[in-house]
Amino acid sequence: MLQRPVRILVLAALALLFFGGPSLVRFYTDWLWFGEVGYQQVFLTMLRAQAMLFTITFAVAAVWLTFNFRLALAAIGDIRPVFTTREGIEVPLPGRAQLRTLASGVAMLLAIFIALYASSRWETWLTWSYAQPFGTADPILGRDASFYVFSLPFLQLVRGLAQGLVLIAALGAGLLYFGSGSLSSRVGSLLWMTRGARRHLSFLAAAFLLLLAFGAWLGQAERLVQPSGLIYGPGYADVNGRMPAALLLAAAALVGAALAVVQGTTLRNWPIPVAAGLYVLVALGGEVYSTLVQRFLVTPNEQSMQSPYIQHNIDATRRAFALDRVEARELTGDALLTPIDIKENAATIDNVRLWDHQPLLDTFGQLQVIRTYYDFVGVDNDRYRIGGQLRQIMLSPRELSTASLPNRTWVNDRLTFTHGYGLTLGPVNQVTAEGLPVLFVGNLPLETIPELPIEEPSLYYGELSSDYVIVRTATREFHYPRGEDNVFTQYSGRGGLPVGSFWRKLLFALRFGAYQILLSNDIDDESRIVFYRNIRERVQKLAPFLSFDRDPYLVVADGRLYWMYDAYTTSARYPYSTPAAQAGINYIRNAVKLVIDAYHGTTTVYLADPDDPIAATYARIFPGMFAPLDQMPASLRQHVRYPEDIFAIQASVFATYHMTQTAVFYNREDQWEVPVVDDTSDGGPMQPYYTIMRLPGEAQREFIQMLPFTPRNRDNLAAWLAARSDGEHYGTLRVFQFPKQKVIFGPRQVVARINQDQAISPQITLWNQQGSQVIWGTLMVIPIEESLIYVRPLYLRASGGRIPELTRVIVAYQNEIVMEQTLEAALARLFGGGPEEGGDEAVRTPAPPAAAPASGTDLAGLAAQARTHYERAIEAQRSGDWAKYGEEIKRLGEVLAQMRNR
């Protein structure tokens, strides 16, 4: 008698192991990994939340569905029905007892699926439970912004689950009543049902109508996080039409629920149809009324009637993207640069980035990869103090790509080739005589300058490290190549989990589907398995509730290598705030920074913005997870930078929301846009870029990120936005605006002038005809004092070659453009006061006449320019270049004319 139950239990256990085994193995190994990185409490908090939500939802759903299904089954008699086939064979059908068991099983199964969905929304529940106030109330309903960010999503979740349960119960009960004959259609009436079925289904209809009333009440608040045509958030027609109509709809649903109860307790058949009709009538009436208000009242007077709501939208959007903190400065646009200005801003000039990311990455890939299994994923910008001066540098880690190994075996992939080695690092503005980048750090073995000592160059964690490795095995770990031989090492860090015991080997063999872990003789009691080595995967596993910047960067500090990773707290439910285009969010803060030791894997989470309510909420949910930013070592703190993604998002929003007057905003009179430079392979809008410079009005140079703006559908420059990264100014945004009545050449205009230049354009054509590939660098706007210059590097890649070389630098100032071999030579041509380089290759051509005045603002500067043109004319005469001779004599005459006018 006991054999059958035992067999069923064994089969159930085997099925659970087969289907749930991989998940259990992954769950346990993740538990061990969270313990390794020191955040097991975070894992426990997430697990407890999921388990509690699952338990509560399962219990409620199982009881509710079982109760309703069994209540409907009560209409079926105790006699077990029999079905007779044509052949006369009697087949017994399930009776009420069997159907009760079946219905309970179905209810349990449905409850499991509903509970699994609810448990996946653990973050919604936790943020509602630990919500911190924003301290800012919405202007319509007066609720704190935290209600929309935290409470409203949870209430909508509860309503959705409840409505789903009511609908499932009604559908299941209706089918059971129909099957038992308690519910049918008869001649002369739409539906006929027994008193029990009527009462049960009517009460379910009442419950559904109550939930509709709750949803209509929530819908009133939802209007503040939805678009309404002109703006994001409710406009006049919403506030005076749809939102009051939502309250009427809630009242209609409550009346409908009462009518449904009346139908359930009487023999009347009209209450529920009346309730449904009333609900639909109020819903349609509210929408029709709001539409009429919009069309006949608002549209003819849109600017005046929508003005208060436009102001709400402006204020909320600026708060949500921290644009209300932007410091605005006016520039005259009339300042003329002199050689003295160039000299006093040498720190800015010395840090102009002449190497673009892609050409530099291509160069590193050819000169510093050394072996095919190394790879440079990207190039990052940072600043270091070298020789007593703050220098902007570009660096790229040398990571190991197992996919490029010439001999792919499990031993090579997992035991031998375990890590990358070092990095390349050099200044942004220096090149060798061959046009290649100067390196402060590079080569194998690693060579560094005294200011950047690196004691441990191994990269066990990085952007390419996407799978597990096993260290401290009997197999030697490859360190780096040296001539015909290789240098080997053994990992002595703190990363990884012990994998020496049989059970650990079995566990991880199952986790990674690698039987070799179990059978390898090279794995001993000292061995450790290192996984989640990809830093993006690592931080997302550790903090799935954060959004992460696309560009982590490597930092050299205290002789070690660290990854710096920026994280954001975001929301799409900040009231009245317009979402950023393509980002899908309408609130963002750079509230968290993570630091990952590239050797040990130690991961530290720092709270960079404790005033952010979302970050404060997560700090309450996960106590002890976030360390104050003040605890970050000073050697790392000086490399904190304002991240690119949030700056790009803020800039895209600020292009519209720098307009704070409702009339100007409504007419889009002063809307900006990021300029598009479409003569490169990238095309598209300009991207923000880092530089070191002295901001107008400041005494010290600093590391900033900047982006220019042009008026919409215009090409002249309107303003430029800067994000500061150093010290107490970190995160401060400052916009510098030019007078609207002053025409300042914009990036697109400068590019067009360069392409049309009568001296530069033929040279580009000549290079292309000779088989070389001309690569245009990024056009950079370089503010100096209250004026600016444009700098654009130009690279050449030889026919059949792979290494781009920095060949020329083009500088534009007001109505003049020059092209020289170096930036210093180009500036000397423009402003005088320094040695010139470039010889015959130098090109200087004035642009067509413009409102901007010529360079050379004093007699000394003009005299220097005159001497330059005279010497060039003599040199051209000696070489027989009469075209160039005539051109220089013409320019000499122009300079002499300017001197006479003074």
Side-chain angles (χ1 to χ4, degrees), residues 342 348-349 351-356 428-429 686 689 691 747 750-751 754 776-784 788-795 806 808-813 816-818 820 822-824 826-827 830-831:
I342 300 298
T348 299
I349 301 300
N351 286 281
V352 172
R353 195 189 79 198
L354 299 181
W355 281 104
D356 267 12
V428 297
N429 65 326
M686 291 182 66
Y689 53 90
T691 189
V750 172
V751 167
I754 292 173
W776 289 104
T778 299
L779 179 71
M780 288 168 291
V781 183
I782 309 298
I784 298 177
L788 53 86
I789 62 174
Y790 285 92
V791 177
R792 190 174 205 187
L794 188 148
Y795 313 92
L806 178 59
R808 295 289 185 273
V809 179
I810 300 173
V811 179
Y813 171 66
E816 292 191 90
I817 301 174
V818 299
E820 288 284 357
T822 66
L823 176 61
E824 291 79 7
L827 292 173
L830 278 173
F831 302 103

Side-chain angles (χ1 to χ4, degrees), residues 486-695:
N486 292 328
V487 176
F488 294 89
T489 187
Q490 187 178 59
Y491 182 69
S492 59
R494 299 187 295 271
L497 292 166
V499 71
S501 69
F502 171 79
W503 292 110
R504 282 291 179 91
K505 290 180 180 179
L506 177 62
L507 182 69
F508 287 105
L510 292 172
R511 163 71 188 258
F512 296 109
Y515 66 89
Q516 297 92 336
I517 297 177
L518 192 61
L519 303 179
S520 176
N521 294 325
D522 292 334
I523 302 175
D524 55 32
D525 292 341
E526 296 297 320
S527 300
R528 302 177 74 85
I529 186 167
V530 185
F531 57 106
Y532 288 132
R533 299 192 305 131
N534 180 280
I535 56 173
R536 174 169 290 276
E537 184 183 16
R538 190 176 187 85
V539 297
Q540 287 176 338
K541 187 69 178 179
L542 182 61
F545 43 85
L546 297 175
S547 301
F548 295 94
D549 194 83
R550 292 174 295 177
D551 186 31
Y553 57 101
L554 200 66
V555 173
V556 181
D558 302 322
R560 307 189 65 83
L561 300 178
Y562 298 89
W563 288 99
M564 191 80 74
Y565 221 134
D566 285 285
Y568 308 114
T569 51
T570 62
S571 177
R573 305 186 66 83
Y574 193 88
Y576 257 121
S577 174
T578 299
Q582 300 179 346
I585 55 173
N586 67 357
Y587 177 94
I588 187 170
R589 291 291 186 276
N590 176 215
V592 177
K593 293 183 180 290
L594 298 94
V595 175
I596 305 165
D597 190 307
Y599 185 71
H600 295 294
T602 307
T603 305
T604 308
V605 185
Y606 294 98
L607 186 60
D609 186 359
D611 296 327
D612 172 40
I614 299 180
T617 298
Y618 285 121
R620 288 190 65 201
I621 295 172
F622 304 104
M625 180 180 185
F626 301 95
L629 190 62
D630 293 340
Q631 294 183 10
M632 181 183 289
S635 57
L636 289 173
R637 184 73 181 271
Q638 63 187 6
H639 294 285
V640 167
R641 70 183 193 186
Y642 199 69
E644 297 177 57
D645 283 356
I646 187 174
F647 183 67
I649 290 173
Q650 288 176 311
S652 68
V653 176
F654 190 70
T656 299
Y657 283 87
H658 71 278
M659 298 180 287
T660 56
Q661 297 180 10
T662 57
V664 176
F665 185 93
Y666 176 81
N667 294 305
R668 296 295 197 267
E669 295 176 16
D670 192 27
Q671 186 163 357
W672 298 339
E673 61 186 9
V674 177
V676 175
V677 179
D678 53 8
D679 69 333
T680 65
S681 58
D682 297 335
M686 291 182 66
Q687 298 299 312
Y689 53 90
Y690 292 99
T691 189
I692 291 177
M693 64 170 291
R694 181 169 61 85
L695 290 173

Side-chain angles (χ1 to χ4, degrees), residues 61 120 207 232 273 290 294 311 333 428 437 485 496 524 636 658 687 699 840:
S120 69
Y232 203 89
S290 303
Q294 176 67 36
Q311 191 64 57
V428 297
D485 299 323
D524 55 32
L636 289 173
H658 71 278
Q687 298 299 312
D840 294 339

Side-chain angles (χ1 to χ4, degrees), residues 427-451:
V428 297
N429 65 326
Q430 287 183 251
V431 296
T432 65
E434 297 79 18
L436 301 176
V438 172
L439 295 181
F440 293 155
V441 179
N443 300 327
L444 295 173
L446 204 62
E447 299 174 359
T448 69
I449 59 175
E451 292 91 339

Side-chain angles (χ1 to χ4, degrees), residues 187-242:
V187 179
S189 63
L190 184 62
L191 283 176
W192 176 90
M193 64 186 77
T194 63
R195 182 181 293 273
R198 172 192 293 272
R199 181 170 55 252
H200 186 191
L201 295 177
S202 296
F203 286 170
L204 287 175
F208 186 75
L209 285 164
L210 287 175
L211 290 171
L212 287 180
F214 182 51
W217 180 77
L218 293 178
Q220 187 186 35
E222 283 284 350
R223 289 289 174 187
L224 278 92
V225 292
Q226 293 175 347
S228 62
L230 180 64
I231 58 173
Y232 203 89
Y236 183 92
D238 299 294
V239 172
N240 296 280
R242 292 182 179 89

Side-chain angles (χ1 to χ4, degrees), residues 310-323:
I310 293 174
Q311 191 64 57
H312 298 331
N313 174 248
I314 292 173
D315 295 341
T317 303
R318 288 172 61 88
R319 279 196 308 270
F321 290 96
L323 300 178

Side-chain angles (χ1 to χ4, degrees), residues 230-417:
L230 180 64
I231 58 173
Y232 203 89
Y236 183 92
D238 299 294
V239 172
N240 296 280
R242 292 182 179 89
M243 294 178 72
L247 293 180
L248 290 176
L249 190 63
L254 291 174
V255 172
L259 290 173
V261 172
V262 169
Q263 179 159 330
T265 55
T266 66
L267 295 178
R268 298 181 178 89
N269 291 326
W270 57 265
I272 289 182
V274 169
L278 177 63
Y279 185 86
V280 172
L281 180 64
V282 173
L284 291 177
E287 185 60 33
V288 169
Y289 172 75
S290 303
T291 302
L292 292 175
V293 169
Q294 176 67 36
R295 178 168 299 181
F296 296 106
L297 186 61
V298 176
T299 301
N301 310 281
E302 189 171 50
Q303 180 174 340
S304 60
M305 301 198 71
Q306 296 282 37
S307 182
Y309 309 103
I310 293 174
Q311 191 64 57
H312 298 331
N313 174 248
I314 292 173
D315 295 341
T317 303
R318 288 172 61 88
R319 279 196 308 270
F321 290 96
L323 300 178
D324 56 333
R325 310 172 191 174
V326 174
E327 301 171 355
R329 298 286 189 275
E330 296 290 337
L331 299 177
T332 63
D334 295 324
L336 301 177
L337 295 180
T338 67
I340 296 176
D341 294 325
I342 300 298
K343 183 177 180 180
E344 290 180 348
N345 287 271
T348 299
I349 301 300
D350 291 344
N351 286 281
V352 172
R353 195 189 79 198
L354 299 181
W355 281 104
D356 267 12
H357 288 191
Q358 192 57 51
L360 189 61
L361 194 61
D362 293 342
T363 303
F364 286 165
Q366 295 300 313
L367 301 180
Q368 287 289 311
V369 161
I370 312 298
R371 296 287 175 89
T372 58
Y373 40 77
Y374 285 128
D375 196 6
F376 292 99
V377 179
V379 176
D380 297 309
N381 291 270
D382 203 351
R383 71 283 199 198
Y384 288 81
R385 193 162 292 279
I386 297 172
Q389 299 294 322
L390 188 65
R391 300 286 301 275
Q392 184 182 357
I393 60 89
M394 300 180 77
L395 61 88
S396 183
R398 184 186 291 105
E399 298 199 57
L400 185 74
S401 174
T402 54
S404 301
L405 288 174
N407 184 21
R408 296 291 305 278
T409 65
W410 183 83
V411 172
N412 277 345
D413 286 0
R414 309 302 177 203
L415 307 185
T416 303
F417 293 90

